Amino acid sequence: MEFFKQLDDAPRGRSADTVIAELDSLIKGGWEHRKSEIAGLMAELRQDHLLLRNFMRKVTDEDAWPELQGAQSYTLHASSNCVVRVNLWFAPMHGNPALDTFRRYLSVEELHNHDFRFFTTCLLGPGYRTHFYLDEDWSPKRQAGDSMKMRDLGEHRLSGADVLFVERDVDYHLQHWPEDFSITLNVIPADPPGASRVQYILDSETLAVRFVARS
Amino acid sequence: MLHEFTAQSARSNSLSKSLDITPDALEQYLKSKPIVRALGELDDGVYSADATATLYQEVKMVIAESAEGWTTTILTLNAPATAATTLAYHSFMYMVSCAGPVFLDRYDIDGYPETGDVPGTMRARLAETHPLSTGASIDLQPGPHAYLLRGAVQHTKIMRLVGPAVEPVTATFDAQTGDLRSLAYATAEGTSPSFFTKLADALLREGAATIAPTEIDAVIDFFNRRLDEPDLDAFTRWKLIQIMGRHRPASAVAQLERIRDSGPPRLAALAAQALGRR
């Protein structure tokens, strides 16, 4: 997990499509050592609600409701290099509006890792709090009940001008519902070939594996 | 009335074209590969990602199979629910195993929840309690009722068959007070317009300083056109008019007058109220 703090000084004036094209190109060319540049482009998309305004304009131009992916996401860009999507987070007072069949994609109030890497930032609203842990002994062969050796990285709030990078497999987080409606942006680089596909959900008190999901 | 299927009274019904719920058919279905796999996943705690619906603390649910609008899930409850839920779809439950006495409470509501039924405007009344035990099955139809499973629900394992949604939303009611607590869309088709409307509403509010009048006009025109869609659910329809009212009041008034004069009764009443407050 890496934080890129207060990226308010990103350049202005470009279209969202131009910024996304640059993002895609940057990721295609090898991005592991250029995370801060990705974070900077994401900050640019956040400024003046550039990305959300662009999304809203495309929807009105196409004159049809956009298609929702999973429980809470609209995909804005998808290529062999990366996926760019926005996620909608509702406050608990509004209840969980997700369909039963999609709820597994809403990993809120559950300590879990991901089998993909992603950058995220808050586009609208107060954002959410997340408690992070680092798995110091990653294994794709764990079973339910296995104990974990985890380093507590503390609680963070995804809001304001921060961009967060979450590493696949080893970064675990316990995410809470936001206090008010919020929208986040995810940039998800394509996985390396042959990457393992296993996700663990842990007991947040004992840190032992509760569930294993393989695909 | 609740209708319980037992080994003696199980009957054929419309749950599925291919599944005839007789005792023999039920027994055979419980031994079928999708059900055995789903039961095994719940027991082992190891899931195929595409089969797992939810691994929340309160409920573990695995989709066993889906066909022709019907879905069979196996679920275990880890904690008693605190809210009664309406059914937007036909639901058949079979109690695979109960750790102890389990009860299904049925609450009655004055009509199925719809637009304007915001928290506090509707109340559910406890009408009947039905005991359930291992091997019992129960057939529940959509209607003005909400249901709550309670008792020794922890580790209780249930097979549930759910049909296509016939109501746009499901509603939850507080088990103690009976007050309407929340609403959720019952289909993906209903969820997406609602979510986009929420997004646009939040953006128009928070981005007021940066969003150009032409962008606002485009959204309001888009919403105006959507109001003519016959399948648009009443909640989203009402939200669209609220957004119009905030940004382009003349458009909203025209829509309110239309609904007052020719909309469904509850929506028409709300429209008349809103126009009366102007």
Side-chain angles (χ1 to χ4, degrees):
Chain A
M1 182 267 285
E2 289 179 55
F3 255 101
F4 300 90
K5 295 290 220 178
Q6 296 299 319
L7 299 163
D8 273 343
D9 57 349
R12 291 167 185 262
R14 300 196 294 175
S15 74
D17 288 341
T18 301
V19 179
I20 288 174
E22 185 176 332
L23 201 52
D24 189 280
S25 174
L26 194 161
I27 289 170
K28 182 183 181 184
W31 55 272
E32 279 84 353
H33 301 294
R34 304 177 71 182
K35 294 191 188 95
S36 62
E37 292 175 60
I38 293 174
L41 292 172
M42 292 175 69
E44 190 174 346
L45 290 171
R46 190 184 53 234
Q47 283 186 341
D48 294 338
H49 306 294
L50 182 67
L51 185 69
L52 291 177
R53 287 167 61 195
N54 187 60
F55 174 49
M56 200 167 69
R57 192 159 49 242
K58 284 186 173 175
V59 169
T60 57
D61 286 350
E62 290 170 9
D63 205 20
W65 295 111
E67 190 180 338
L68 194 70
Q69 276 83 41
Q72 58 174 158
S73 303
Y74 291 111
T75 299
L76 310 188
H77 170 81
S79 74
S80 57
N81 304 315
C82 66
V83 169
V84 177
R85 70 183 187 189
V86 290
N87 298 320
L88 279 61
W89 303 95
F90 290 79
M93 62 177 289
H94 299 122
N96 181 346
L99 294 169
D100 273 358
T101 45
F102 289 139
R103 283 212 188 149
R104 81 178 185 86
Y105 299 108
L106 265 179
S107 302
V108 182
E109 310 295 354
E110 291 284 1
L111 180 54
H112 64 282
N113 66 346
H114 288 278
D115 57 6
F116 56 87
R117 299 165 292 185
F118 65 97
F119 295 82
T120 187
T121 191
C122 185
L123 297 176
L124 200 75
Y128 53 75
R129 290 177 298 112
T130 311
H131 199 119
F132 275 97
Y133 296 85
L134 179 68
D135 179 0
E136 297 188 302
D137 186 25
W138 160 253
S139 166
K141 297 180 178 175
R142 291 200 169 94
Q143 300 293 321
D146 285 359
S147 58
M148 305 275 288
K149 187 181 174 188
M150 305 283 272
R151 195 196 316 166
D152 189 336
L153 301 178
E155 189 166 281
H156 300 270
R157 174 175 281 280
L158 183 65
S159 62
D162 298 340
V163 173
L164 174 65
F165 172 72
V166 177
E167 184 57 85
R168 55 174 294 142
D169 301 331
V170 297
D171 279 339
Y172 283 72
H173 58 155
L174 180 66
Q175 181 181 324
H176 305 293
W177 289 105
E179 289 82 7
D180 203 352
F181 179 71
S182 298
I183 301 175
T184 58
L185 165 65
N186 283 170
V187 173
I188 307 170
D191 282 316
S196 62
R197 285 279 176 216
V198 58
Q199 182 181 24
Y200 298 116
I201 296 173
L202 310 184
D203 184 303
S204 56
E205 291 184 4
T206 66
L207 303 185
V209 176
R210 279 204 303 130
F211 306 119
V212 184
R214 299 184 198 279
S215 58
Chain B
M1 285 292 290
L2 296 173
H3 176 75
E4 184 179 7
F5 284 98
T6 64
Q8 287 73 38
S9 65
R11 60 178 169 77
S12 172
N13 59 35
S14 60
L15 280 173
S16 166
K17 287 175 183 170
S18 59
L19 185 64
D20 190 14
I21 310 284
T22 62
D24 286 347
L26 189 55
E27 193 179 334
Q28 287 303 311
Y29 190 52
L30 289 165
K31 292 176 184 170
S32 68
K33 194 180 284 184
I35 303 301
V36 170
R37 177 190 55 77
L39 285 166
E41 287 188 352
L42 273 179
D43 287 342
D44 298 343
V46 179
Y47 303 90
S48 52
D50 57 349
T52 308
T54 176
L55 300 175
Y56 267 59
Q57 297 276 8
E58 299 80 13
V59 58
K60 289 189 284 183
M61 185 167 77
V62 173
I63 296 177
E65 63 173 350
S66 297
E68 298 178 356
W70 287 87
T71 300
T72 307
T73 57
I74 307 292
L75 55 109
T76 57
L77 307 173
N78 294 324
T82 58
T85 306
T86 63
L87 295 174
Y89 31 67
H90 190 154
S91 176
F92 173 86
M93 287 197 306
Y94 172 78
M95 310 303 284
V96 178
S97 62
C98 300
V102 174
F103 303 93
L104 183 70
D105 288 339
R106 191 196 81 209
Y107 290 75
D108 286 349
I109 315 161
D110 296 329
Y112 199 90
E114 56 179 61
T115 186
D117 296 328
V118 294
T121 61
M122 269 195 122
R123 184 158 287 179
R125 303 172 304 278
L126 181 61
E128 185 179 3
T129 293
H130 196 81
L132 292 168
S133 55
T134 299
S137 49
I138 196 159
D139 186 29
L140 303 172
Q141 302 282 346
H145 311 291
Y147 299 96
L148 171 69
L149 267 179
R150 62 178 176 82
V153 297
Q154 198 163 20
H155 307 307
T156 286
K157 198 174 290 177
I158 300 167
M159 179 180 78
R160 191 173 70 170
L161 283 79
V162 171
V166 295
E167 298 285 355
V169 294
T170 58
T172 60
F173 292 83
D174 188 288
Q176 295 299 316
T177 65
D179 286 337
L180 179 63
R181 184 193 277 184
S182 67
L183 295 157
Y185 285 86
T187 67
E189 294 75 23
T191 306
S192 189
S194 157
F195 277 24
F196 179 74
T197 302
K198 179 68 180 169
L199 180 155
D201 187 28
L203 183 58
L204 291 176
R205 284 168 185 256
E206 197 169 317
T210 55
I211 297 177
T214 52
E215 291 176 293
I216 298 173
D217 284 343
V219 174
I220 299 301
D221 289 347
F222 173 78
F223 286 165
N224 236 331
R225 293 191 293 275
R226 301 282 82 72
L227 285 167
D228 289 329
E229 291 179 352
D231 295 336
L232 186 68
D233 68 276
F235 291 104
T236 304
R237 193 177 295 273
W238 194 251
K239 187 71 182 171
L240 296 186
I241 295 170
Q242 285 181 330
I243 296 170
M244 284 180 181
R246 202 171 299 122
H247 300 280
R248 295 290 182 269
S251 302
V253 168
Q255 290 292 351
L256 285 171
E257 287 173 345
R258 216 171 78 165
I259 292 172
R260 179 196 61 194
D261 298 338
S262 58
R266 289 164 87 170
L267 210 53
L270 278 171
Q273 267 180 30
L275 287 165
R277 283 197 294 268
R278 292 183 67 239

